[in-house]
Coordinates of all heavy atoms in Angstrom, one line a residue:
M1 N 114.6 46.3 66.7 CA 113.8 45.8 65.6 C 114.0 46.5 64.3 O 113.4 46.2 63.3 CB 112.3 45.9 66.0 CG 111.9 44.8 67.0 SD 110.2 44.8 67.3 CE 109.9 46.3 68.1
S2 N 114.9 47.6 64.3 CA 115.1 48.4 63.1 C 115.7 47.5 61.9 O 115.5 47.9 60.8 CB 116.1 49.5 63.4 OG 117.3 49.0 63.9
G3 N 116.3 46.4 62.3 CA 116.9 45.5 61.2 C 115.9 44.6 60.6 O 116.2 43.8 59.7
V4 N 114.6 44.5 61.1 CA 113.6 43.6 60.6 C 112.9 44.3 59.4 O 112.2 45.3 59.7 CB 112.6 43.2 61.7 CG1 111.5 42.3 61.1 CG2 113.3 42.5 62.8
S5 N 113.0 43.8 58.2 CA 112.4 44.5 57.1 C 111.0 43.9 56.7 O 110.2 44.7 56.2 CB 113.3 44.5 55.9 OG 113.7 43.2 55.6
D6 N 110.8 42.6 56.9 CA 109.5 42.1 56.5 C 108.8 41.7 57.7 O 109.3 41.4 58.8 CB 109.7 40.9 55.5 CG 110.6 39.8 56.1 OD1 111.4 40.2 57.0 OD2 110.6 38.7 55.7
G7 N 107.4 41.7 57.6 CA 106.6 41.3 58.7 C 106.4 42.5 59.6 O 107.0 43.6 59.4
T8 N 105.5 42.4 60.6 CA 105.2 43.5 61.5 C 106.2 43.5 62.6 O 106.8 42.5 63.0 CB 103.8 43.3 62.1 OG1 103.7 42.1 62.8 CG2 102.7 43.4 61.1
R9 N 106.4 44.7 63.1 CA 107.3 44.9 64.3 C 106.4 45.1 65.5 O 105.6 46.1 65.5 CB 108.2 46.1 64.1 CG 109.1 46.0 62.9 CD 109.9 47.3 62.7 NE 110.6 47.3 61.5 CZ 111.3 48.3 61.0 NH1 111.3 49.5 61.7 NH2 111.9 48.3 59.9
E10 N 106.5 44.3 66.4 CA 105.6 44.4 67.6 C 106.4 44.5 68.9 O 107.4 43.8 69.1 CB 104.7 43.1 67.7 CG 103.7 43.0 66.6 CD 102.8 41.8 66.7 OE1 103.0 41.1 67.7 OE2 102.0 41.7 65.8
L11 N 106.0 45.5 69.7 CA 106.6 45.7 71.0 C 105.5 45.7 72.0 O 104.6 46.5 71.9 CB 107.4 47.0 71.0 CG 108.2 47.4 72.3 CD1 109.3 46.4 72.5 CD2 108.7 48.8 72.2
L12 N 105.6 44.8 73.0 CA 104.5 44.7 74.0 C 105.2 44.9 75.4 O 106.1 44.1 75.8 CB 103.9 43.3 73.9 CG 102.8 42.9 74.9 CD1 101.6 43.8 74.7 CD2 102.5 41.5 74.8
V13 N 104.7 45.9 76.0 CA 105.1 46.2 77.4 C 104.0 45.8 78.4 O 102.9 46.3 78.2 CB 105.5 47.6 77.6 CG1 106.0 47.9 79.0 CG2 106.6 48.0 76.5
T14 N 104.3 45.0 79.3 CA 103.2 44.6 80.3 C 103.8 44.9 81.7 O 105.0 44.8 82.0 CB 102.8 43.2 80.2 OG1 103.9 42.3 80.3 CG2 102.1 42.9 78.8
T15 N 102.8 45.2 82.6 CA 103.2 45.3 84.0 C 102.3 44.5 84.9 O 101.2 44.2 84.5 CB 103.1 46.8 84.4 OG1 101.8 47.3 84.3 CG2 104.1 47.7 83.6
G16 N 102.8 44.1 86.0 CA 101.9 43.4 86.9 C 102.6 43.2 88.3 O 103.7 43.6 88.5
R17 N 101.8 42.6 89.2 CA 102.4 42.2 90.5 C 103.1 40.9 90.4 O 102.6 40.0 89.7 CB 101.3 42.1 91.5 CG 100.7 43.4 91.9 CD 99.5 43.2 92.7 NE 98.8 44.4 93.0 CZ 98.8 45.1 94.1 NH1 99.5 44.6 95.2 NH2 98.1 46.2 94.3
A18 N 104.2 40.8 91.0 CA 104.9 39.5 91.1 C 104.9 39.0 92.6 O 104.3 39.7 93.4 CB 106.4 39.7 90.7
D19 N 105.5 37.9 92.8 CA 105.5 37.4 94.2 C 106.2 38.4 95.2 O 107.0 39.2 94.8 CB 106.3 36.1 94.3 CG 105.5 35.0 93.4 OD1 104.4 35.2 93.1 OD2 106.2 34.0 93.1
A20 N 105.9 38.2 96.4 CA 106.7 38.9 97.5 C 106.8 40.4 97.4 O 107.8 41.0 97.5 CB 108.1 38.3 97.6
G21 N 105.6 41.0 97.1 CA 105.6 42.5 97.0 C 106.4 43.1 96.0 O 106.9 44.2 96.2
C22 N 106.6 42.4 94.9 CA 107.4 43.0 93.8 C 106.5 43.3 92.6 O 105.5 42.7 92.4 CB 108.5 42.0 93.3 SG 109.8 41.9 94.5
V23 N 107.0 44.3 91.8 CA 106.4 44.6 90.5 C 107.2 44.0 89.4 O 108.4 43.9 89.5 CB 106.4 46.2 90.3 CG1 105.9 46.6 88.9 CG2 105.5 46.8 91.4
L24 N 106.5 43.4 88.4 CA 107.1 42.8 87.3 C 106.8 43.5 86.0 O 105.6 43.8 85.7 CB 106.6 41.3 87.1 CG 107.1 40.5 85.9 CD1 108.6 40.3 86.0 CD2 106.4 39.2 85.8
V25 N 107.8 43.9 85.3 CA 107.7 44.6 84.0 C 108.3 43.7 82.9 O 109.4 43.2 83.1 CB 108.4 46.0 84.0 CG1 108.2 46.7 82.6 CG2 107.8 46.9 85.1
A26 N 107.6 43.5 81.8 CA 108.1 42.7 80.7 C 108.0 43.4 79.4 O 107.0 44.1 79.2 CB 107.3 41.4 80.6
V27 N 109.1 43.4 78.7 CA 109.2 44.0 77.3 C 109.4 42.9 76.3 O 110.5 42.3 76.3 CB 110.3 45.1 77.3 CG1 110.3 45.8 75.9 CG2 110.0 46.1 78.4
R28 N 108.5 42.7 75.4 CA 108.6 41.7 74.4 C 108.7 42.3 73.0 O 107.9 43.2 72.7 CB 107.3 40.7 74.4 CG 107.2 40.0 75.7 CD 105.8 39.2 75.7 NE 105.8 38.2 76.7 CZ 105.5 38.4 78.0 NH1 105.2 39.6 78.4 NH2 105.5 37.4 78.8
D29 N 109.6 41.8 72.2 CA 109.7 42.4 70.9 C 109.7 41.2 69.8 O 109.8 40.1 70.2 CB 110.9 43.3 70.7 CG 112.3 42.6 70.8 OD1 112.4 41.6 70.1 OD2 113.1 43.0 71.6
S30 N 109.5 41.6 68.6 CA 109.5 40.7 67.5 C 110.8 40.9 66.6 O 110.7 40.7 65.4 CB 108.3 40.8 66.6 OG 108.2 42.1 66.1
G31 N 111.8 41.3 67.2 CA 113.1 41.5 66.5 C 113.9 40.2 66.3 O 113.3 39.2 66.3
P32 N 115.2 40.4 66.0 CA 116.0 39.2 65.7 C 116.3 38.3 66.8 O 116.7 37.1 66.6 CB 117.3 39.8 65.1 CG 117.3 41.1 65.8 CD 115.9 41.6 66.0
G33 N 116.1 38.7 68.0 CA 116.4 37.9 69.2 C 117.9 37.7 69.4 O 118.7 38.4 68.7
F34 N 118.3 36.8 70.2 CA 119.7 36.5 70.5 C 119.8 35.0 70.6 O 118.9 34.3 71.0 CB 120.2 37.3 71.7 CG 119.3 37.1 72.9 CD1 119.4 36.0 73.7 CD2 118.4 38.1 73.2 CE1 118.6 35.9 74.8 CE2 117.6 38.0 74.3 CZ 117.7 36.9 75.1
A35 N 121.1 34.5 70.4 CA 121.3 33.1 70.6 C 121.3 32.7 72.1 O 121.8 33.6 72.9 CB 122.7 32.7 70.0
P36 N 120.8 31.6 72.5 CA 120.8 31.2 73.9 C 122.1 31.3 74.5 O 122.2 31.7 75.7 CB 120.3 29.7 73.9 CG 119.5 29.6 72.6 CD 120.2 30.5 71.6
K37 N 123.2 31.0 73.8 CA 124.5 31.1 74.4 C 124.9 32.6 74.8 O 125.9 32.8 75.5 CB 125.6 30.5 73.5 CG 125.8 31.3 72.2 CD 127.0 30.6 71.4 CE 127.2 31.3 70.1 NZ 127.3 32.8 70.1
D38 N 124.2 33.5 74.2 CA 124.6 34.9 74.4 C 123.8 35.6 75.5 O 123.9 36.8 75.8 CB 124.4 35.8 73.1 CG 125.4 35.4 72.1 OD1 126.5 35.0 72.5 OD2 125.1 35.4 70.9
V39 N 122.9 34.8 76.2 CA 122.0 35.4 77.1 C 122.6 36.1 78.3 O 122.1 37.1 78.8 CB 121.0 34.3 77.7 CG1 121.7 33.3 78.6 CG2 119.8 35.0 78.3
E40 N 123.8 35.7 78.7 CA 124.5 36.5 79.8 C 125.5 37.5 79.2 O 125.7 38.6 79.8 CB 125.2 35.6 80.8 CG 124.1 35.1 81.8 CD 123.2 36.2 82.5 OE1 123.7 37.2 82.9 OE2 122.0 36.0 82.6
H41 N 126.1 37.2 78.1 CA 127.0 38.2 77.4 C 126.3 39.5 77.2 O 127.0 40.6 77.3 CB 127.5 37.7 76.1 CG 128.3 36.4 76.2 ND1 128.4 35.6 75.1 CD2 128.9 35.8 77.2 CE1 129.1 34.5 75.5 NE2 129.4 34.7 76.7
I42 N 125.1 39.5 76.8 CA 124.4 40.7 76.4 C 124.3 41.8 77.5 O 124.2 43.0 77.2 CB 123.0 40.5 75.8 CG1 122.1 39.9 76.8 CG2 123.1 39.7 74.5 CD1 120.6 39.7 76.2
F43 N 124.5 41.3 78.8 CA 124.4 42.3 79.9 C 125.8 42.8 80.3 O 125.9 43.6 81.1 CB 123.8 41.6 81.1 CG 122.3 41.3 80.9 CD1 121.9 40.1 80.6 CD2 121.4 42.3 81.1 CE1 120.5 39.8 80.4 CE2 120.0 42.1 80.9 CZ 119.6 40.8 80.6
A44 N 126.9 42.3 79.6 CA 128.2 42.7 80.0 C 128.5 44.1 79.4 O 128.1 44.4 78.3 CB 129.2 41.7 79.4
P45 N 129.2 44.9 80.2 CA 129.6 46.2 79.7 C 130.4 46.1 78.4 O 131.3 45.2 78.3 CB 130.4 46.8 80.8 CG 130.1 46.0 82.0 CD 129.7 44.7 81.6
F46 N 130.1 46.9 77.5 CA 130.8 47.0 76.2 C 130.6 45.8 75.2 O 131.2 45.8 74.2 CB 132.3 47.3 76.3 CG 132.5 48.5 77.2 CD1 133.1 48.4 78.4 CD2 132.2 49.8 76.8 CE1 133.3 49.5 79.2 CE2 132.4 50.9 77.5 CZ 133.0 50.8 78.8
Y47 N 129.7 44.9 75.6 CA 129.3 43.9 74.6 C 128.3 44.4 73.7 O 127.2 44.9 74.1 CB 128.8 42.6 75.3 CG 128.3 41.6 74.3 CD1 129.2 40.6 73.8 CD2 127.0 41.6 73.9 CE1 128.8 39.7 72.8 CE2 126.5 40.6 72.9 CZ 127.4 39.7 72.4 OH 127.0 38.8 71.5
T48 N 128.6 44.4 72.4 CA 127.6 44.9 71.4 C 127.8 44.2 70.1 O 128.9 43.7 69.8 CB 127.8 46.5 71.1 OG1 126.8 46.9 70.3 CG2 129.1 46.8 70.5
T49 N 126.7 44.0 69.4 CA 126.7 43.4 68.0 C 126.2 44.5 67.0 O 126.1 44.2 65.8 CB 125.8 42.2 67.9 OG1 124.4 42.6 68.3 CG2 126.3 41.1 68.8
K50 N 126.1 45.7 67.5 CA 125.6 46.8 66.6 C 126.8 47.6 66.1 O 127.7 47.9 66.9 CB 124.6 47.7 67.3 CG 123.4 47.0 67.8 CD 122.5 47.9 68.6 CE 121.4 47.2 69.3 NZ 120.6 48.1 70.1
P51 N 126.8 48.0 64.8 CA 127.9 48.7 64.3 C 128.2 50.0 65.0 O 129.4 50.4 65.2 CB 127.5 49.1 62.8 CG 126.4 48.1 62.5 CD 125.8 47.7 63.8
A52 N 127.2 50.7 65.5 CA 127.4 51.9 66.3 C 127.1 51.8 67.7 O 126.8 52.8 68.4 CB 126.7 53.1 65.6
G53 N 127.0 50.6 68.2 CA 126.6 50.4 69.6 C 127.7 50.6 70.6 O 128.9 50.4 70.2
L54 N 127.4 51.0 71.8 CA 128.4 51.1 72.8 C 128.4 49.9 73.7 O 129.4 49.6 74.3 CB 128.1 52.3 73.7 CG 128.6 53.7 73.4 CD1 128.2 54.7 74.4 CD2 130.1 53.6 73.3
G55 N 127.3 49.2 73.7 CA 127.2 48.0 74.6 C 127.0 48.4 76.1 O 127.4 47.6 77.0
M56 N 126.4 49.5 76.3 CA 126.2 50.0 77.7 C 124.8 49.9 78.1 O 124.5 50.0 79.3 CB 126.7 51.4 77.8 CG 128.2 51.5 77.8 SD 129.1 50.5 79.0 CE 128.5 51.3 80.5
G57 N 123.8 49.9 77.2 CA 122.4 50.0 77.6 C 122.0 49.0 78.6 O 121.4 49.3 79.7
L58 N 122.2 47.7 78.3 CA 121.7 46.6 79.2 C 122.5 46.6 80.5 O 121.9 46.3 81.6 CB 121.7 45.3 78.5 CG 120.7 45.1 77.4 CD1 120.9 43.7 76.7 CD2 119.3 45.2 78.0
S59 N 123.8 46.9 80.4 CA 124.6 46.9 81.6 C 124.1 48.0 82.6 O 124.0 47.8 83.8 CB 126.1 47.2 81.2 OG 126.8 47.5 82.3
I60 N 123.8 49.2 82.0 CA 123.3 50.3 82.9 C 121.9 49.9 83.4 O 121.6 50.2 84.6 CB 123.3 51.6 82.1 CG1 124.7 52.1 81.8 CG2 122.4 52.7 82.8 CD1 124.8 53.2 80.8
C61 N 121.1 49.4 82.6 CA 119.7 49.0 83.1 C 119.8 48.0 84.2 O 119.2 48.1 85.3 CB 118.9 48.3 82.0 SG 118.4 49.4 80.7
R62 N 120.7 47.0 84.1 CA 120.8 46.0 85.2 C 121.4 46.6 86.4 O 120.9 46.3 87.5 CB 121.7 44.8 84.7 CG 121.9 43.8 85.7 CD 122.6 42.5 85.2 NE 121.7 41.5 84.8 CZ 122.0 40.3 84.3 NH1 123.3 40.0 84.2 NH2 121.1 39.4 84.0
S63 N 122.4 47.5 86.3 CA 122.9 48.1 87.6 C 121.9 49.0 88.2 O 121.8 49.1 89.5 CB 124.3 48.8 87.3 OG 124.1 49.8 86.3
I64 N 121.1 49.8 87.5 CA 120.1 50.6 88.1 C 119.0 49.7 88.8 O 118.7 50.0 90.0 CB 119.4 51.5 87.0 CG1 120.3 52.5 86.5 CG2 118.1 52.1 87.6 CD1 119.8 53.3 85.3
I65 N 118.6 48.7 88.1 CA 117.6 47.8 88.7 C 118.1 47.1 90.0 O 117.4 47.0 91.0 CB 117.0 46.8 87.7 CG1 116.2 47.6 86.6 CG2 116.2 45.7 88.3 CD1 116.0 46.9 85.3
E66 N 119.3 46.6 89.9 CA 119.9 45.9 91.1 C 120.1 46.9 92.2 O 120.0 46.6 93.4 CB 121.2 45.2 90.7 CG 120.9 44.0 89.8 CD 122.1 43.2 89.5 OE1 123.3 43.6 89.7 OE2 122.0 42.1 88.9
A67 N 120.4 48.2 91.9 CA 120.6 49.2 93.0 C 119.2 49.5 93.7 O 119.2 50.0 94.8 CB 121.1 50.5 92.4
H68 N 118.1 49.1 93.0 CA 116.8 49.3 93.6 C 116.3 48.0 94.2 O 115.1 47.8 94.5 CB 115.8 49.8 92.6 CG 116.0 51.3 92.3 ND1 115.5 52.3 93.0 CD2 116.8 51.9 91.4 CE1 115.9 53.5 92.5 NE2 116.7 53.2 91.5
G69 N 117.2 47.0 94.4 CA 116.9 45.7 95.0 C 116.1 44.8 94.0 O 115.5 43.8 94.5
G70 N 116.2 45.0 92.8 CA 115.5 44.1 91.8 C 116.5 43.3 91.0 O 117.7 43.2 91.3
R71 N 115.9 42.7 90.0 CA 116.8 41.9 89.0 C 116.2 42.0 87.6 O 115.0 42.2 87.4 CB 117.0 40.5 89.4 CG 115.7 39.6 89.5 CD 116.0 38.3 90.2 NE 114.9 37.4 90.1 CZ 114.7 36.5 89.1 NH1 115.6 36.4 88.2 NH2 113.6 35.8 89.1
L72 N 117.1 41.8 86.6 CA 116.7 42.0 85.2 C 117.3 40.8 84.5 O 118.4 40.4 84.7 CB 117.4 43.2 84.6 CG 117.4 43.4 83.1 CD1 116.0 43.6 82.5 CD2 118.3 44.6 82.7
W73 N 116.4 40.2 83.6 CA 116.9 39.0 82.9 C 116.2 39.0 81.5 O 115.3 39.8 81.3 CB 116.6 37.7 83.7 CG 115.1 37.4 83.8 CD1 114.4 36.5 83.1 CD2 114.2 37.9 84.8 NE1 113.1 36.4 83.5 CE2 113.0 37.3 84.6 CE3 114.3 38.8 85.8 CZ2 111.8 37.6 85.3 CZ3 113.2 39.1 86.6 CH2 112.0 38.5 86.3
A74 N 116.7 38.1 80.7 CA 116.2 38.0 79.3 C 115.9 36.5 78.9 O 116.5 35.6 79.5 CB 117.2 38.5 78.3
N75 N 114.9 36.4 78.0 CA 114.6 35.1 77.5 C 114.3 35.3 76.0 O 114.1 36.4 75.5 CB 113.3 34.5 78.0 CG 113.3 34.3 79.5 OD1 112.7 35.1 80.2 ND2 114.0 33.3 80.0
A76 N 114.2 34.1 75.3 CA 113.8 34.2 73.9 C 112.3 34.3 73.8 O 111.6 33.8 74.7 CB 114.2 32.9 73.2
N77 N 111.8 35.1 72.9 CA 110.3 35.2 72.7 C 109.9 34.2 71.6 O 110.8 33.6 71.0 CB 110.0 36.7 72.2 CG 108.5 37.0 72.3 OD1 107.8 36.2 72.8 ND2 108.2 38.2 71.9
T78 N 108.7 33.9 71.5 CA 108.2 33.0 70.4 C 107.2 33.8 69.5 O 106.4 34.6 70.1 CB 107.5 31.8 71.0 OG1 106.5 32.2 71.9 CG2 108.4 30.9 71.7
P79 N 107.2 33.6 68.2 CA 108.1 32.7 67.5 C 109.5 33.3 67.2 O 110.4 32.7 66.7 CB 107.4 32.5 66.1 CG 106.6 33.8 65.9 CD 106.2 34.3 67.3
C80 N 109.6 34.6 67.5 CA 110.9 35.3 67.3 C 111.0 36.5 68.3 O 110.0 36.9 68.9 CB 111.1 35.8 65.9 SG 109.9 37.1 65.4
G81 N 112.2 37.0 68.4 CA 112.4 38.2 69.3 C 112.9 37.8 70.7 O 113.3 36.7 70.9
A82 N 112.8 38.8 71.5 CA 113.4 38.7 72.8 C 112.4 39.2 73.9 O 111.5 40.0 73.6 CB 114.7 39.6 72.9
I83 N 112.5 38.7 75.1 CA 111.7 39.2 76.2 C 112.7 39.6 77.3 O 113.6 38.9 77.7 CB 110.8 38.1 76.8 CG1 110.0 37.4 75.7 CG2 109.9 38.7 77.9 CD1 109.2 36.2 76.3
F84 N 112.6 40.9 77.7 CA 113.4 41.4 78.8 C 112.4 41.6 80.0 O 111.3 42.2 79.8 CB 114.1 42.7 78.5 CG 115.3 42.4 77.6 CD1 115.1 42.3 76.2 CD2 116.6 42.2 78.1 CE1 116.2 42.1 75.4 CE2 117.6 42.0 77.3 CZ 117.5 41.9 75.9
Q85 N 112.7 41.1 81.2 CA 111.8 41.3 82.3 C 112.6 41.8 83.5 O 113.8 41.4 83.7 CB 111.2 40.0 82.7 CG 110.3 39.4 81.6 CD 109.6 38.2 82.0 OE1 108.6 38.2 82.7 NE2 110.2 37.0 81.7
F86 N 112.0 42.7 84.3 CA 112.6 43.0 85.6 C 111.6 43.0 86.7 O 110.4 43.3 86.5 CB 113.4 44.3 85.5 CG 112.6 45.6 85.3 CD1 112.1 46.3 86.4 CD2 112.4 46.1 84.1 CE1 111.4 47.5 86.3 CE2 111.7 47.3 83.9 CZ 111.2 48.0 85.0
M87 N 112.1 42.7 87.9 CA 111.3 42.8 89.1 C 111.9 43.8 90.0 O 113.2 43.8 90.1 CB 111.3 41.4 89.8 CG 110.2 40.5 89.2 SD 110.4 38.8 90.0 CE 110.4 39.2 91.7
V88 N 111.2 44.6 90.6 CA 111.7 45.5 91.7 C 110.7 45.5 92.8 O 109.5 45.3 92.6 CB 111.8 47.0 91.2 CG1 113.1 47.1 90.4 CG2 110.6 47.5 90.5
P89 N 111.2 45.7 94.1 CA 110.2 45.8 95.2 C 109.2 46.9 95.0 O 109.6 48.0 94.7 CB 111.2 46.0 96.4 CG 112.5 45.6 96.0 CD 112.6 45.9 94.5
A90 N 108.0 46.6 95.3 CA 106.9 47.6 95.2 C 107.0 48.6 96.3 O 106.6 49.8 96.1 CB 105.5 46.9 95.1
Y91 N 107.4 48.2 97.5 CA 107.5 49.1 98.7 C 108.9 49.0 99.3 O 109.1 48.3 100.3 CB 106.4 48.6 99.7 CG 105.0 48.6 99.1 CD1 104.4 47.4 98.8 CD2 104.3 49.8 98.8 CE1 103.2 47.3 98.2 CE2 103.1 49.7 98.3 CZ 102.5 48.5 98.0 OH 101.3 48.5 97.4
P92 N 109.9 49.6 98.6 CA 111.3 49.4 99.0 C 111.6 49.8 100.4 O 112.5 49.3 101.1 CB 112.1 50.2 98.0 CG 111.1 51.1 97.4 CD 109.8 50.5 97.4
D93 N 110.8 50.7 101.0 CA 111.1 51.2 102.4 C 110.3 50.4 103.4 O 110.5 50.7 104.6 CB 110.7 52.7 102.5 CG 111.6 53.5 101.6 OD1 112.8 53.2 101.4 OD2 111.1 54.5 101.0
D94 N 109.5 49.5 103.0 CA 108.7 48.6 103.9 C 109.6 47.5 104.4 O 109.8 46.5 103.7 CB 107.5 48.2 103.2 CG 106.6 47.4 104.2 OD1 106.9 47.2 105.3 OD2 105.5 46.9 103.7
S95 N 110.1 47.5 105.6 CA 111.0 46.5 106.1 C 110.2 45.3 106.7 O 110.8 44.4 107.2 CB 112.0 47.0 107.1 OG 111.3 47.7 108.1
S96 N 108.9 45.4 106.8 CA 108.1 44.4 107.5 C 107.9 43.2 106.5 O 108.1 43.3 105.4 CB 106.7 44.9 107.9 OG 106.0 45.4 106.7
Ligands
ATP101 N1 115.9 43.4 72.2 C1 117.0 42.8 71.9 N2 116.9 41.7 71.0 C2 118.0 41.1 70.6 N3 119.3 41.4 71.0 C3 119.4 42.4 71.9 C4 118.3 43.1 72.3 N4 118.7 44.1 73.2 C5 120.0 43.9 73.2 N5 120.5 42.9 72.5 C6 121.8 42.5 72.2 O1 122.6 42.8 73.4 C7 123.7 43.7 73.0 C8 124.0 44.6 74.1 O2 122.9 45.5 74.2 P1 123.1 46.9 74.9 O3 121.8 47.7 75.0 O4 123.8 46.7 76.2 O5 124.1 47.7 73.9 P2 123.8 48.2 72.5 O6 122.4 48.4 72.2 O7 124.6 47.4 71.5 O8 124.5 49.6 72.6 P3 124.0 50.9 73.4 O9 125.1 51.2 74.4 O10 123.8 52.0 72.4 O11 122.7 50.5 74.1 C9 123.2 44.3 71.7 O12 124.3 44.8 70.9 C10 122.5 43.1 71.0 O13 123.4 42.2 70.5
MG102 MG1 121.0 49.2 73.7

């Protein structure tokens, strides 16, 4: 959101229970968002649109979350910005 000069910058982090014994975390921002066509590119290693970006942040986040048996995905926020959400098992050692 550092590139947003007018209007308020809002970041909302929520947590809750999801289906099947999972925890759901959602991070919503009021930044520039991304084009729908870029929704999977943004998770690719070294994909960046920032002048000094490495393009590693989301790729690392996804691999950590998947290593814990979860998943990470993104959507457009309304009226602007992005929503990143991940689910991870609440009781990863519980095989029942
Ligand atoms: N909250 C967001 N809103 C809009 N676009 C985003 C958001 N987060 C990531 N992106 C897009 O996804 C790209 C990849 O993000 P990622 O975090 O992987 O790398 P980066 O932020 O560019 O660099 P770094 O390696 O420093 O994190 C960004 O360059 C940007 O285009
Ligand atoms: Mg990043």
Side-chain angles (χ1 to χ4, degrees):
M1 287 189 289
S2 59
V4 177
S5 52
D6 53 340
T8 56
R9 297 178 192 172
E10 292 182 0
L11 183 67
L12 177 66
V13 181
T14 58
T15 59
R17 287 170 189 256
D19 295 344
C22 287
V23 173
L24 175 66
V25 178
V27 181
R28 296 174 163 80
D29 68 49
S30 61
F34 48 81
K37 69 176 176 48
D38 292 327
V39 69
E40 280 309 314
H41 299 156
I42 61 176
F43 292 99
F46 304 113
Y47 175 86
T48 184
T49 57
K50 300 177 185 175
L54 272 181
M56 289 304 294
L58 289 174
S59 167
I60 290 170
C61 289
R62 182 172 263 181
S63 56
I64 291 171
I65 289 164
E66 290 182 351
H68 287 273
R71 63 190 187 92
L72 167 66
W73 68 98
N75 302 106
N77 199 1
T78 52
C80 62
I83 310 174
F84 287 84
Q85 298 182 82
F86 69 87
M87 277 172 52
V88 283
Y91 306 103
D93 296 324
D94 182 0
S95 56
S96 60

